[in-house]
Amino acid sequence: MKKFLNEPSAAVDDYVTGLVGAHREILEWDCTNRVLQRREDPPFPKVGLVGGGGSGCEPTHTGFVGYGMLDAAAPGQIFTSPVPNQIVAATRRANAGRGVLHIIKNFTGEVMNFGMAQEILYFEDIQVAQVVVNDDVSIPDDGETAGRRGLGATVLVEKIAGAAAEEGRELSEVLAVAQKVIGRSGTFAVGLSSCTPPARGKPVYELAETDMDLGIGISGEPGRERVPMANAREIARLMVNEVLSDLMPKDGGDLLMLVNGMGATPHHELYLLAGELAAAAEARGACVTRQLVGNFVTSLDQAGAAVTFLELDQELKDLWDAPVQTAALRWGR
Amino acid sequence: MTTDTNLTRIDLERWILDFADQIIQQHLILSDLDAASGDADHGSNMERGMSALLKSVPDWDGAATPGEFLKDVGMHIVSSVGGSSGALYGTIFLRMARAVGGAPTISPGLLSDAFEAAAQGVSERGKVKQGDKTMFDALAPSVQTLKAKLKEEKSLSEALTSAATAAEAGRDATSDMVARKGKSSYARENSRGFIDPGAVSVAMLIRSAARTLA
């Protein structure tokens, strides 16, 4: 393992220190409660948004704290969900008296710890609602697993629900728009290597040079199946087929496409793949009208990429286009 | 049933310290098992929690009842481990604390009730049943055995030793199972052939109880 690292156990703290140092105008780190929060209060009381999950998937969620997205984030240890105390503290910070939405990715530990936090918050005067993002189409919905994981759609939920909250909408309306995004999105990921968690010091598994791993998640676990490596055009067709066969968007419908790198794949390859993905989607009768390409929900230093499609309507399009100012996503402001 | 083996808070401390030592010594093995189909962090998560727990030893309240002590351990784990192991191990100790209540000492029967409450808690929190290839596959049979042996009027020592053996058999049986919960469930058939790391740590917890509580 060769990494920029001090003590593996301090990797998360050291990351946050650097992040906050580089974005002082946006972020503040409450090191007692381990909560990353928006420095500037919103100009008027709004619904609060809280995200949280294992670290190692940066910029999720820490990079999405700021105007138009999250009010607070609770980063856990590497690939490990935050603890209930962190989530409770983040919720208190995000609460402006109009309620707080918890954005949870469907991973067992995350669901359980947010669940325990909600049991604690029950005794406080804070209205809490939750959405569980489960956009991973690589997992059949057959009840034989922990269910579809929350992947790239998390960014879309945080952006779009964040814009709705920023407009001053009520908790029930912000919740409804978040659920709408979840219901209209799907993701499929392909891994080209394993990743190396700092505390482990070696890759989680070996993947042959000639193989790729279909249906990976975001915490280094192996995917659904290994198949021989193909060229970008063939991989793009496969990925688009997986998502759109599941999502079944209307012909000619507007799609937002997120092409997300897993951490070790360069922009060169991500944009190359994005071109192929958009072409493959359009060949199926879809119309890709919004795109976001880059590393957004990563898995440490894993090589690979995921595509997320969201079927847009006018409301979602407007909320997506609304201004945002976070460390990792910024436009219109 | 023997009545001269009521447990005190000191006994529970001995158990927890022994368990923490075991985890710290064997955390790499637990993480390696987790790497087979999960995300390779069960050992490091548990190690982090147990190290934090050991650091808190000087603050342990000597006047605390067994129930208060178990609650402290549970809260400590919930707030330092994270992930599903934090929530589930936290649930084990918090449910035991609830079952024990304010009792000044713990009779074998009450200990068995507390373990039963812990197993029930894990099943609820994790939405698991036996055969899902989780820690519950080691916990459930050990609790059933503990209860049965005490009913046969075996000594607490004998009952806990049998319970530990049952936990280890349950642990080993997870090897043939396909995971249906947690990250391992995504490996489906590929999760077969490996022992569940949560079942390994739970078997350590019960073996540690057999070693220290009687």
Side-chain angles (χ1 to χ4, degrees):
Chain A
M1 175 175 72
K2 211 188 267 182
K3 286 179 188 294
F4 292 111
L5 190 66
N6 303 311
E7 284 304 308
S9 60
V12 177
D13 291 66
D14 292 352
Y15 154 71
V16 171
T17 302
L19 176 75
V20 172
H23 300 279
R24 284 175 205 285
E25 74 290 0
I26 299 174
L27 297 172
E28 198 170 76
W29 173 234
D30 168 0
C31 62
T32 312
N33 293 308
R34 305 187 59 75
V35 171
L36 196 80
Q37 56 208 30
R38 216 162 137 161
R39 176 171 293 280
E40 228 176 80
D41 279 328
F44 60 92
K46 64 179 239 347
V47 167
L49 262 68
V50 168
S55 293
C57 304
E58 288 73 26
T60 295
H61 300 267
T62 47
F64 300 131
V65 173
Y67 179 89
M69 281 184 91
L70 300 178
D71 297 276
Q77 294 298 325
I78 300 286
F79 294 158
T80 301
S81 73
V83 300
N85 298 1
Q86 271 179 283
I87 300 164
V88 168
T91 308
R92 288 184 188 135
R93 179 62 176 78
N95 180 44
R98 297 191 57 195
V100 175
L101 179 67
H102 283 174
I103 297 164
I104 306 165
K105 301 189 296 307
N106 190 34
F107 282 93
T108 309
E110 210 168 292
V111 172
M112 278 193 225
N113 281 280
F114 270 92
M116 293 189 89
Q118 277 189 315
E119 283 195 33
I120 299 168
L121 286 160
Y122 172 81
F123 299 101
E124 300 195 11
D125 193 21
I126 303 178
Q127 214 190 330
V128 180
Q130 61 160 242
V131 287
V132 179
V133 186
N134 59 350
D135 52 316
D136 182 1
V137 301
S138 76
I139 296 164
D141 240 347
D142 59 5
E144 291 296 307
T145 66
R148 295 183 155 189
R149 295 169 287 209
L151 302 177
T154 312
V155 182
L156 315 185
V157 172
E158 289 175 359
K159 168 68 188 79
I160 289 171
E166 214 71 57
E167 275 184 358
R169 297 194 197 180
E170 298 299 332
L171 181 59
S172 60
E173 298 168 311
V174 176
L175 173 69
V177 84
Q179 278 164 339
K180 184 163 150 186
V181 174
I182 294 168
R184 298 165 72 117
S185 52
T187 295
F188 189 84
V190 173
L192 305 184
S193 77
S194 175
C195 63
T196 302
R200 185 171 162 80
K202 55 183 177 185
V204 178
Y205 60 90
E206 296 299 330
L207 183 64
E209 192 58 27
T210 48
D211 286 347
M212 59 181 175
D213 203 0
L214 301 184
I216 57 165
I218 46 170
S219 52
E221 68 272 32
R224 171 181 88 183
E225 60 182 311
R226 285 177 191 179
V227 299
M229 189 63 197
N231 70 27
R233 188 158 301 148
E234 289 162 25
I235 297 172
R237 273 196 213 120
L238 179 155
M239 293 170 87
V240 165
N241 186 42
E242 288 279 348
V243 181
L244 296 190
S245 305
D246 190 273
L247 193 60
M248 306 272 269
K250 288 187 295 286
D251 256 4
D254 267 1
L255 295 182
L256 182 161
M257 180 176 84
L258 164 65
V259 180
N260 173 54
M262 304 310 297
T265 294
H267 270 210
H268 176 89
E269 290 172 50
L270 291 180
Y271 277 104
L272 188 156
L273 186 64
E276 297 294 347
L277 286 163
E282 277 162 15
R284 284 183 62 122
C287 184
V288 179
T289 58
R290 296 287 185 283
Q291 287 196 42
L292 184 65
V293 182
N295 292 296
F296 295 102
V297 191
T298 59
S299 183
L300 289 170
D301 54 353
Q302 187 160 22
V307 66
T308 304
F309 286 108
L310 164 66
E311 193 176 5
L312 292 166
D313 61 8
Q314 197 56 48
E315 180 192 32
L316 298 183
K317 211 184 283 187
D318 291 344
L319 291 168
W320 177 256
D321 291 341
V324 57
Q325 185 178 7
T326 67
L329 212 58
R330 184 170 186 168
W331 59 71
R333 195 169 192 250
Chain B
M1 192 187 296
T2 50
T3 51
D4 57 343
T5 49
N6 279 7
L7 302 169
T8 64
R9 181 186 55 81
I10 303 292
D11 296 317
L12 297 182
E13 282 187 19
R14 222 173 35 243
W15 170 38
I16 298 304
L17 290 173
D18 184 81
F19 175 60
D21 274 343
Q22 299 290 314
I23 291 287
I24 290 166
Q25 283 170 33
Q26 302 193 46
H27 74 273
L28 292 175
I29 298 171
L30 293 175
S31 285
D32 280 346
L33 282 172
D34 200 11
S37 59
D39 54 0
D41 67 354
H42 183 58
S44 53
N45 284 344
M46 290 297 287
E47 191 273 335
R48 184 173 57 250
M50 293 304 126
S51 296
L53 193 66
L54 290 186
K55 272 196 204 108
S56 76
V57 169
D59 304 328
W60 289 1
D61 176 7
T65 61
E68 285 164 343
F69 173 72
L70 289 167
K71 179 173 173 247
D72 277 356
V73 170
M75 287 307 291
H76 221 93
I77 290 175
V78 161
S79 59
S80 61
V81 178
S84 29
S85 16
L88 292 168
Y89 268 98
T91 299
I92 287 178
F93 289 105
L94 292 173
R95 290 294 171 97
M96 285 187 88
R98 216 194 275 191
V100 163
T105 61
I106 302 176
S107 67
L110 187 55
L111 183 72
S112 148
D113 290 348
F115 271 117
E116 202 173 5
Q120 176 73 23
V122 165
S123 158
E124 285 168 20
R125 174 65 60 199
K127 300 186 177 72
V128 289
K129 53 186 190 311
Q130 269 183 276
D132 285 348
K133 193 179 177 108
T134 69
M135 62 156 68
F136 191 65
D137 290 307
L139 188 57
S142 77
V143 172
Q144 286 151 13
T145 303
L146 178 66
K147 220 173 139 182
K149 291 290 168 186
L150 290 175
K151 208 170 172 189
E152 291 168 20
E153 306 206 344
K154 304 286 187 204
S155 71
L156 179 60
S157 163
E158 212 176 319
L160 278 171
T161 302
S162 300
T165 305
E168 285 154 4
R171 168 198 71 192
D172 295 343
T174 63
S175 177
D176 289 335
M177 297 174 185
V178 172
R180 278 198 293 261
K181 294 288 171 182
K183 281 177 189 164
S184 305
S185 67
Y186 300 127
R188 293 192 177 239
E189 272 299 326
N190 291 334
S191 67
R192 209 192 285 277
F194 303 99
I195 289 175
D196 178 69
V200 175
S201 60
V202 159
M204 285 160 67
L205 180 74
I206 311 293
R207 179 57 69 190
S208 177
R211 202 162 35 231
T212 55
L213 291 186

